[in-house]
Protein backbone atom coordinates (compact mmCIF):
# COMPACT_ATOMS: atom_id res chain seq x y z
CA UNK A 1 0.00 0.00 0.00
CA UNK A 2 1.41 3.37 -0.96
CA UNK A 3 0.59 6.81 0.47
CA UNK A 4 -2.33 7.58 -1.89
CA UNK A 5 -3.89 4.16 -1.20
CA UNK A 6 -3.47 4.74 2.54
CA UNK A 7 -5.12 8.17 2.27
CA UNK A 8 -8.04 6.67 0.31
CA UNK A 9 -8.52 3.85 2.84
CA UNK A 10 -8.35 6.24 5.81
CA UNK A 11 -10.78 8.60 4.09
CA UNK A 12 -13.28 5.80 3.54
CA UNK A 13 -12.95 4.48 7.10
CA UNK A 14 -13.16 7.89 8.80
CA UNK A 15 -15.68 9.51 6.41
CA UNK A 16 -13.36 12.51 6.08
CA UNK A 17 -12.33 14.04 2.78
CA UNK A 18 -9.11 12.80 1.21
CA UNK A 19 -7.72 16.33 1.52
CA UNK A 20 -8.36 16.39 5.29
CA UNK A 21 -6.92 12.90 5.73
CA UNK A 22 -3.81 13.86 3.76
CA UNK A 23 -3.32 16.93 6.00
CA UNK A 24 -3.71 14.77 9.13
CA UNK A 25 -1.30 12.14 7.82
CA UNK A 26 1.26 14.83 6.91
CA UNK A 27 0.90 16.37 10.38
CA UNK A 28 1.36 12.94 12.00
CA UNK A 29 4.52 12.13 10.04
CA UNK A 30 5.94 15.62 10.64
CA UNK A 31 5.37 15.42 14.40
CA UNK A 32 6.85 11.91 14.61
CA UNK A 33 9.93 13.02 12.65
CA UNK A 34 10.41 16.16 14.77
CA UNK A 35 10.12 14.25 18.04
CA UNK A 36 12.53 11.54 16.90
CA UNK A 37 14.98 14.22 15.77
CA UNK A 38 14.89 15.62 19.33
CA UNK A 39 15.57 12.13 20.69
CA UNK A 40 12.08 11.70 22.12
CA UNK A 41 10.00 8.51 22.09
CA UNK A 42 6.38 8.30 20.88
CA UNK A 43 4.16 5.60 22.42
CA UNK A 44 0.78 4.75 20.93
CA UNK A 45 -0.71 2.24 23.38
CA UNK A 46 -1.89 -0.88 21.60
CA UNK A 47 -0.21 0.12 18.33
CA UNK A 48 3.50 0.58 19.00
CA UNK A 49 6.43 2.80 19.86
CA UNK A 50 8.57 5.00 17.64
CA UNK A 51 12.05 5.67 19.02
CA UNK A 52 15.65 6.36 18.03
CA UNK A 53 18.30 3.67 18.39
CA UNK A 54 21.99 4.50 18.65
CA UNK A 55 24.44 2.62 16.45
CA UNK A 56 28.00 2.56 17.74
CA UNK A 57 31.00 3.27 15.53
CA UNK A 58 32.55 0.11 14.15
CA UNK A 59 35.10 -1.26 11.74
CA UNK A 60 33.73 -2.68 8.50
CA UNK A 61 35.09 -4.31 5.37
CA UNK A 62 34.79 -2.85 1.86
CA UNK A 63 33.57 -5.89 -0.13
CA UNK A 64 35.09 -4.62 -3.39
CA UNK A 65 38.63 -3.87 -2.18
CA UNK A 66 38.68 -5.95 1.05
CA UNK A 67 40.07 -2.91 2.88
CA UNK A 68 38.94 -2.17 6.42
CA UNK A 69 36.94 1.03 6.81
CA UNK A 70 35.68 2.94 9.79
CA UNK A 71 31.89 3.24 9.95
CA UNK A 72 30.81 6.28 11.98
CA UNK A 73 28.31 6.14 14.83
CA UNK A 74 24.76 6.99 13.79
CA UNK A 75 21.16 7.15 14.92
CA UNK A 76 18.32 5.21 13.28
CA UNK A 77 14.54 5.48 13.69
CA UNK A 78 12.95 2.31 15.04
CA UNK A 79 9.37 1.07 15.39
CA UNK A 80 8.40 -1.59 17.90
CA UNK A 81 4.91 -3.04 17.45
CA UNK A 82 2.63 -3.16 20.51
CA UNK A 83 0.98 -6.31 21.83
CA UNK A 84 -2.46 -5.51 20.40
CA UNK A 85 -1.02 -4.97 16.92
CA UNK A 86 1.04 -8.17 17.13
CA UNK A 87 -2.03 -10.12 18.25
CA UNK A 88 -4.12 -8.68 15.41
CA UNK A 89 -1.49 -9.59 12.80
CA UNK A 90 -1.16 -13.13 14.18
CA UNK A 91 -4.90 -13.89 14.26
CA UNK A 92 -5.88 -16.96 12.28
Amino acid sequence: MNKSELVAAMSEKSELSKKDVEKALKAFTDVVAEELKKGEKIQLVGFGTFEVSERAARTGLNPRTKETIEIAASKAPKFKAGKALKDLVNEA
Side-chain angles (χ1 to χ4, degrees), residues 69-87:
I69 55 173
E70 290 301 314
I71 301 170
S74 64
K75 297 177 183 178
K78 186 169 90 173
F79 176 76
K80 182 180 176 189
K83 184 179 181 334
L85 181 58
K86 287 180 191 176
D87 292 346

Side-chain angles (χ1 to χ4, degrees), residues 3 9 11 16 26 29 33 47 59 68 70 73-74 80 83 87:
K3 184 179 175 183
S11 175
L16 295 171
K26 173 90 170 102
T29 57
F47 183 72
T59 303
T68 58
E70 290 301 314
S74 64
K80 182 180 176 189
K83 184 179 181 334
D87 292 346

Side-chain angles (χ1 to χ4, degrees), residues 35-52:
E35 290 302 306
L36 292 177
K37 187 175 181 180
K38 290 191 271 183
E40 298 294 323
K41 179 168 36 170
I42 298 165
Q43 292 179 302
L44 302 173
V45 176
F47 183 72
T49 304
F50 296 92
E51 59 188 334
V52 176

Side-chain angles (χ1 to χ4, degrees), residues 18-31:
K18 286 183 182 180
K19 194 171 189 173
D20 289 341
V21 169
E22 196 163 351
K23 283 182 188 176
L25 183 58
K26 173 90 170 102
F28 174 76
T29 57
D30 288 349
V31 169

